[in-house]
Amino acid sequence: TVNQDVYTTESASFDSRIIAASGSTINTGSFATTGSNSFSGSQIITGSMTSSLDIKVAGVKMGFGNQSGSHTVAIGTSTLVNNTGADSTAIGYQSLQNNTSGNENTAVGYNALNVLTTAQRNTAIGGDAGRDNTGDNNVFIGWTAGMQSAGGIGNVIIGNSTARSVKSNYNTIVGETAGFYLTSGSSNTFVGQAAGVDVGSGSSNTFVGQNAGRNISGSYNTLIGGAKGVGNWSNVIALSDGAENIRAIYNSGWVFTG
């Protein structure tokens, strides 16, 4: 324990001893330690610094999480603390907190991919993005994007509050709140703010435009240009103008409205 400044120009190496310094610490050589270190003053290290354990800077933990993992990066409280997998990156409070054997996952943001345990190759960026996800090969980008998803595979969810409850597969949903209530519907493509908001179990729909397909709950529909549609529509094609007026619609035959 040192209650004064510490200055070294040579390499410093400490094994299992605990180092505590209340003054300033300046080291121009290399610094290596396998014990615990506590510094309340300023530290300047111009050489290399090596630590075999995680470090904490200004209350933020940095390192590689659980010692059993490999090729991992963990920055933030409770990140990758249960990890035994490889090649994952967690940045943000409790991101990938429960991951065990899952590999090649990337989580950036508060609680991102928090529940995931064994799933592979997911990417979540944003607070609570993909929080409850347990499936493979998903992308969640945006605040609460896919937050309550569970078990879905191959989804791409981009936008704040987008497809928050999706539990199905192979959906591509882009736009704020798009697909908000989607749960079991699969193979949908929604592009635009609030596109496909009310689709819950509908599948194989394509909606492009703000509010496109907003009111639809059916399947196999294609709406372009913002038409909101009707709840139980299925196998309908509708083209609308910028004011959401339908100009052409197909439902067992084409009808043009001007």
Side-chain angles (χ1 to χ4, degrees), residues 245-257:
N245 300 304
I246 294 177
R247 298 302 184 183
I249 186 169
Y250 180 90
N251 185 4
S252 73
W254 279 103
V255 174
F256 298 92
T257 59

Side-chain angles (χ1 to χ4, degrees), residues 165-183:
S165 301
V166 62
K167 297 173 176 63
S168 50
N169 304 327
Y170 309 119
N171 296 286
T172 299
I173 304 177
V174 180
E176 183 182 24
T177 70
F180 187 86
Y181 293 109
L182 182 66
T183 54

Side-chain angles (χ1 to χ4, degrees), residues 10 29 57 63 82 86 113 116 154 158 161-162 178 183 188 194 197 204 230-231 252:
E10 303 294 335
V57 178
N82 298 300
L113 294 179
L116 183 148
I158 301 175
S161 295
T162 301
T183 54
N188 293 290
V197 161
S204 300
V230 178
S252 73

